[in-house]
Amino acid sequence: MSAQIESFFDADSSTFSYVVHAGPHSACAIIDPVLSYDPRSGRTSKVRADEIAAFVRTHQLQVQWLLETHAHADHLSAAPYLRAQLGGRIAIGEHICQVQKVFKTVFNLEPEFHLDGSQFDHLFSADECFQIGELKAQALHVPGHTPADMAFMIDGDTLFVGDTLFMPDVGTARCDFPGGNAHQLYRSITRLLAYPPATALYLCHDYPPAGRSERCRSSVGEQRAHNIHVRDGISEEAFVQMRETRDRGLPMPVLMMPAVQVNIRAGELPPAEANGVRYLKIPLDNL
């Protein structure tokens, strides 16, 4: 059986989520699901997650995994909501513990917040192999954007690259978040682009320039020939200089503060306070 892929686009965060399966009635994985969040009102919405749930139910799929490529800074995860609706295990790379350690201090989280990744159902070790039903999969550790970034190889010819690469005319992910490293990102991308040219690359985001609609898919060959930041012939030193210079001029993502403190909890919202209301924290003059 070959992998079948359904993409879902959240325009507010420019995020692609995916359902990977082998046909009706098969096991599936949901990758990077979005919980919509309005920073003006503080309200969440499950509209995008419900689209995914409807697809899963229509095709009578059995959710085995809810895969996070990393602790996102641009959207909240809908993984706990979908797990409650559909089942499955929430999984991320084991280096999430490093990210938790940094941001527990940044947000001064409650003492009960553990730094061992136990909020997730499974922590992938580097290059760990696993199954999505009959589909073979591997979790690749690709740090650089954050220390915990993972890419997921499905059936040897399809890669979900998370926040490493964007479309060739957009380039690559930033590396200026805590624990980010442009040298590591270059090496991670080099590893991904060592796969055969026809290997499909499914992206977590697209920020299309004027005149182009959003796309979720590229290929190793396309990236090596045309990526504006990291195509063939661009050295690690040139990439790092470009990336660090560019990152210094980028604004912080609009949803970074709410997103990270939720996503290091595997998408669970902070515990309710005595009045029954949940609150997000915004540290002042800290980052």
Side-chain angles (χ1 to χ4, degrees):
M1 291 185 179
S2 59
Q4 299 183 33
I5 298 154
E6 187 74 15
S7 65
F8 302 82
F9 187 64
D10 176 59
D12 291 338
S13 63
S14 299
T15 301
F16 285 103
S17 305
Y18 300 96
V19 176
V20 183
H21 62 102
H25 308 284
S26 68
C28 74
I30 298 172
I31 302 177
D32 291 335
V34 173
L35 179 72
S36 300
Y37 174 75
D38 180 358
R40 293 164 295 189
S41 66
R43 291 194 174 275
T44 61
S45 168
K46 303 176 181 68
V47 171
R48 296 287 173 256
D50 284 337
E51 292 174 356
I52 295 173
F55 177 85
V56 168
R57 291 182 175 122
T58 297
H59 295 271
Q60 300 182 55
L61 304 175
Q62 294 82 50
V63 178
Q64 188 173 359
W65 295 100
L66 298 125
L67 303 175
E68 300 286 3
T69 54
H70 63 294
H72 305 273
D74 40 39
H75 70 268
L76 281 64
S77 172
Y81 171 72
L82 289 170
R83 180 181 60 185
Q85 298 290 313
L86 304 169
R89 303 171 71 197
I90 302 174
I92 199 168
E94 63 184 352
H95 290 84
I96 188 63
C97 302
Q98 293 177 238
V99 180
Q100 290 177 325
K101 183 177 181 180
V102 170
F103 284 101
K104 181 175 184 177
T105 300
V106 169
F107 293 111
N108 194 31
L109 299 181
E110 67 277 5
E112 297 79 14
F113 181 83
H114 297 296
L115 302 177
D116 58 2
S118 57
Q119 299 84 357
F120 297 82
D121 299 315
H122 184 77
L123 300 181
F124 287 115
S125 58
D127 302 336
E128 180 178 342
C129 295
F130 63 105
Q131 297 282 138
I132 305 170
E134 298 300 315
L135 300 174
K136 295 180 180 179
Q138 187 176 23
L140 309 177
H141 185 216
V142 287
H145 174 62
T146 81
D149 276 58
M150 304 297 287
F152 298 107
M153 170 60 84
I154 312 296
D155 266 8
D157 62 0
T158 302
L159 264 171
F160 293 85
V161 300
D163 278 19
T164 53
L165 288 159
F166 300 143
M167 289 302 299
D169 57 358
V170 179
T172 58
R174 65 195 296 168
C175 300
D176 58 331
F177 297 155
N181 184 286
H183 287 282
Q184 286 187 332
L185 182 62
Y186 182 88
R187 294 165 192 167
S188 293
I189 291 172
T190 298
R191 180 187 184 189
L192 296 177
L193 296 186
Y195 283 97
T199 303
L201 305 181
Y202 284 88
L203 315 176
C204 189
H205 300 287
D206 190 24
Y207 309 99
R212 176 172 72 74
S213 59
E214 65 272 0
R215 290 175 56 194
C216 68
R217 177 175 168 166
S218 180
S219 70
V220 166
E222 184 181 12
Q223 294 284 352
R224 291 185 62 171
H226 301 297
N227 189 287
I228 60 174
H229 294 165
V230 73
R231 64 187 176 274
D232 285 355
I234 294 179
S235 68
E236 180 173 341
E237 292 73 20
F239 173 81
V240 170
Q241 182 179 14
M242 176 282 302
R243 189 69 267 168
E244 291 181 346
T245 300
R246 181 175 174 81
D247 289 349
R248 284 193 290 271
L250 294 177
M252 186 173 290
V254 172
L255 295 187
M256 180 170 178
M257 293 298 186
V260 171
Q261 62 188 294
V262 168
N263 293 337
I264 60 173
R265 301 176 184 271
E268 296 285 358
L269 299 177
E273 298 193 7
N275 62 355
V277 178
R278 302 174 188 268
Y279 293 88
L280 295 169
K281 292 184 174 182
I282 306 296
L284 301 178
D285 303 319
N286 194 359
L287 288 178

